[in-house]
Amino acid sequence: MSKNKKLSLSGGDTAEKFIYKPKDLIWAKMKGFTPWPGMIVEPPLDLLSQQRRANTKCVFFFGSRNFAWIEENNIKPFEGPWKDELAKVSKPAAFRHAMTDIEKYIDDPAEVDEQVNKSCGAPNHATEADFDKIRDGLDSEENMGDEAAADGNNGVVAHVVGSPDEGEGLDVENNADSSASPATTPAATTKTSAKRTPKAKSVAAVSVKSAKGSATKSAQKRRISAQQTPSGTSNAKRGRRAASGEAVRDAGIDGASSTPTARRRVETDALLASLAAKRAPNAIALLDRPVVTRPETQVIDMSSRSNTLADREIVPSEQTFGFLGLGMMGSTIVKDLIYTGHKVVVWNRTIDKCQPFAEAGAEVKDTPMDVVEAADVIFCCVSDPKGAKDLVFGNCGVLQLKDLNNKAYVEMSTIDPDTSLDIGEGIKQCNGRYLEAQIHGSRQEAADGMLIILAGGDRSVFEECHSCFKTIAKNTFFLGNIGNACKVNLILQTILGVSLVGLAEALALADRFSISLNDIIDIFDLTSMKSPMLLAKGKEMAKGDFNPQQPLSHMQRDLRLVLNMAENLDQSMPVTSITNEVFKHTKRLGYSEHDSSAVFVRSRF
């Protein structure tokens, strides 16, 4: 690894910026986790398809031996003044195991390198740097060597992008050489005997293999014709030429610009211009998408109290309750638990969200593993199944403690039954108890303590959480085995999603008829079809107020989970499928973080 001195934009001092390469040993810090020993590697195939921020590196973590994208400003070299400071701090067994693992790698890297190569696929697969060379026409010396060996490789050159006219550009060079010195032409056309290490071929290179082979044969014919004609001009019929090739031959460029690198750069620019022209309509359509203002992030008010909650007689449990995730629902639930006198330990990926709860009396921990160590019952409430599994099985997650000592883990995230079964099995294998507690309701219902709890799993955990459930819910149901609560919750979400789309389309039709939406809602309130939820959502649609109570992205996630569950049973759900597509389209319009009632925008326009 090399160091590059760079001026700091904030002042006149200089700051060191490290340029990392594969196999560099480093310290890497994930958001919400402590620094961890790792190594820069080429990304595995499954990570290449994931979205990532700019200036990130793929890191292999020792100990857990998994991979993640880490921003460069959260990476430090392993050897340095910070090594002793980080290594001496009291850390859990998982960190000590990671330190032992990296020291073992330093002594004998064979085992880890074999695992990394196996995870990342073939070591000679095309990388982003290779594509940059293709795109920019760089590395001229290597490209000239590839041209010399092109005949030995059936005309396929590693830097070829796929322009059939590039063979014509190469013929100009061959004809010029034959004109200047015919005696040297046979030597120039002799096939090289040197063997080259084969490189990974891009899809575009493979697709033009046959075209390049025919171009090589035509080039040989033109070279023979050039030897027989003293003037060096070819009488062979010319095929269709690229615009850049015509410009090079007709303008009679000087010696400085007639080099192979200059011609390749001209042809590369012409190819990129043609590709950009083909993509122009899609790019314009993307830029013409409507600009939607994101809803303001609502700061939780720890001083406000719900009248409904104040009227309840709740005796708080003496146990310590941990809570992982302080999102829209999680923060509201934790606030109610603190208000009713429960002892709470919290963690969140964004540490700033923990500050109001720390001031209200909650204890804040650095990692999920620290919360598990400090609490008797641990609640988890995150946005999707992947996030729920990461908190359990990921780095510094719940299961980094090999023995949970009969502690209880309660999953409140909206997940599918299969994910719940996987988490429950992992908790039980580490001597823990598991309960899925699906919450049904909006943010306002959570603030008022009017949620519905659907639970399944360990009955003893359900009884221990009685005071917590009484705080946040008006009704609680125990549905038996793990997975049952998830199924019932997703079925209820299906009814909600389909009803919202039906309401949105009906109000959109009324709007086209210039009928007052408020009149429609008032009449709807007098019918037997009325429901508090549909009335509230209808009023939001009429006002155009989409302040998130239940984000639209969460509703679409639930519909996706429902359809996946139905697919496993071969159950046809055409209405739900169309409803899911309507929500997906609304997300694409920019309303992902707005309330689910924003689906009215898509139906209206």
Side-chain angles (χ1 to χ4, degrees), residues 191-254:
K191 295 184 180 179
T192 177
S193 59
K195 294 185 178 180
R196 297 168 53 242
T197 302
K199 295 184 177 181
K201 300 177 182 178
S202 64
V203 176
V206 174
S207 65
V208 301
K209 182 175 181 180
S210 59
K212 293 301 296 178
S214 60
T216 304
K217 293 180 180 179
S218 62
Q220 293 176 354
K221 293 179 180 179
R222 279 190 285 272
R223 285 196 291 268
I224 295 173
S225 177
Q227 293 176 7
Q228 297 173 351
T229 306
S231 61
T233 59
S234 175
N235 295 325
K237 294 184 179 179
R238 299 172 184 257
R240 185 179 60 184
R241 302 174 182 175
S244 58
E246 289 284 354
V248 171
R249 286 188 288 270
D250 297 340
I253 54 178
D254 55 15

Side-chain angles (χ1 to χ4, degrees), residues 66-388:
N66 51 13
F67 302 83
W69 292 109
I70 303 295
E71 297 181 7
E72 291 186 3
N73 56 357
N74 289 328
I75 299 176
K76 291 290 186 181
F78 182 73
E79 299 292 342
W82 40 77
K83 177 181 178 182
D84 295 335
E85 178 182 354
L86 294 174
K88 289 181 180 179
V89 176
S90 178
K91 297 289 182 180
F95 179 84
R96 295 193 296 270
H97 174 63
M99 291 298 298
T100 304
D101 199 13
I102 192 173
E103 291 172 359
K104 181 180 178 182
Y105 171 80
I106 294 174
D107 295 334
D108 183 15
E111 178 189 357
V112 174
D113 286 345
E114 181 180 357
Q115 179 179 352
V116 171
N117 292 336
K118 183 178 180 181
S119 300
C120 299
N124 62 341
H125 67 277
T127 63
E128 294 182 5
D130 297 329
F131 177 77
D132 291 339
K133 293 179 182 179
I134 296 172
R135 180 191 63 192
D136 298 332
L138 300 179
D139 201 1
S140 59
E141 293 182 2
E142 181 179 353
N143 290 342
M144 293 176 66
D146 291 342
E147 285 180 358
D151 290 341
N153 289 278
N154 296 326
V156 179
V157 184
H159 72 274
V160 173
V161 177
S163 172
D165 299 322
E166 189 169 354
E168 297 283 353
L170 295 176
D171 294 337
V172 176
E173 181 181 357
N174 295 332
N175 291 338
D177 292 341
S178 63
S179 167
S181 178
T184 60
T185 302
T189 58
T190 304
K191 295 184 180 179
T192 177
S193 59
K195 294 185 178 180
R196 297 168 53 242
T197 302
K199 295 184 177 181
K201 300 177 182 178
S202 64
V203 176
V206 174
S207 65
V208 301
K209 182 175 181 180
S210 59
K212 293 301 296 178
S214 60
T216 304
K217 293 180 180 179
S218 62
Q220 293 176 354
K221 293 179 180 179
R222 279 190 285 272
R223 285 196 291 268
I224 295 173
S225 177
Q227 293 176 7
Q228 297 173 351
T229 306
S231 61
T233 59
S234 175
N235 295 325
K237 294 184 179 179
R238 299 172 184 257
R240 185 179 60 184
R241 302 174 182 175
S244 58
E246 289 284 354
V248 171
R249 286 188 288 270
D250 297 340
I253 54 178
D254 55 15
S257 61
S258 62
T259 61
T261 302
R263 280 193 294 276
R264 277 192 298 273
R265 189 176 298 279
V266 171
E267 293 164 1
T268 303
D269 293 342
L271 177 61
L272 293 177
S274 64
L275 292 177
K278 294 179 181 179
R279 289 194 298 263
N282 293 334
I284 294 174
L286 182 63
L287 294 176
D288 286 343
R289 287 172 57 184
V291 178
V292 180
T293 304
R294 296 179 59 181
E296 295 182 0
T297 302
Q298 297 183 357
V299 180
I300 190 166
D301 184 8
M302 300 297 296
S303 61
S304 63
R305 296 290 184 267
S306 169
N307 295 330
T308 304
L309 192 60
D311 295 338
R312 295 180 183 173
E313 296 181 0
I314 299 174
V315 179
S317 172
E318 296 181 357
Q319 291 183 314
T320 300
F321 295 92
F323 211 96
L324 306 178
L326 297 176
M328 181 178 296
M329 297 296 289
S331 59
T332 306
I333 293 173
V334 171
K335 171 189 169 183
D336 292 344
L337 294 178
I338 295 175
Y339 171 67
T340 52
H342 292 84
K343 185 179 179 181
V344 182
V345 181
V346 299
W347 171 88
N348 192 65
R349 292 185 187 275
T350 307
I351 195 66
D352 295 341
K353 289 187 177 181
C354 299
Q355 186 61 30
F357 303 99
E359 296 174 354
E363 186 179 356
V364 180
K365 294 296 183 179
D366 294 332
T367 66
M369 184 170 52
D370 296 334
V371 174
V372 176
E373 290 178 337
D376 301 310
V377 179
I378 301 94
F379 291 93
C380 174
C381 186
V382 293
S383 60
D384 55 21
K386 182 180 182 301

Side-chain angles (χ1 to χ4, degrees), residues 539-575:
K539 293 177 181 179
E540 292 174 2
M541 294 177 187
K543 294 179 181 178
D545 179 16
F546 306 127
N547 183 37
Q549 293 293 325
Q550 184 182 33
L552 187 140
S553 59
H554 290 187
M555 175 58 68
Q556 193 274 320
R557 169 208 63 196
D558 297 344
L559 293 173
R560 184 183 71 249
L561 295 178
V562 168
L563 293 174
N564 290 339
M565 188 169 61
E567 179 68 21
N568 294 332
L569 300 173
D570 291 332
Q571 174 65 40
S572 175
M573 301 187 73
V575 177

Side-chain angles (χ1 to χ4, degrees), residues 53-72:
R53 297 181 179 178
N55 299 324
T56 56
K57 295 290 185 182
C58 181
V59 174
F60 169 83
F61 288 101
F62 289 93
S64 60
R65 297 200 173 184
N66 51 13
F67 302 83
W69 292 109
I70 303 295
E71 297 181 7
E72 291 186 3

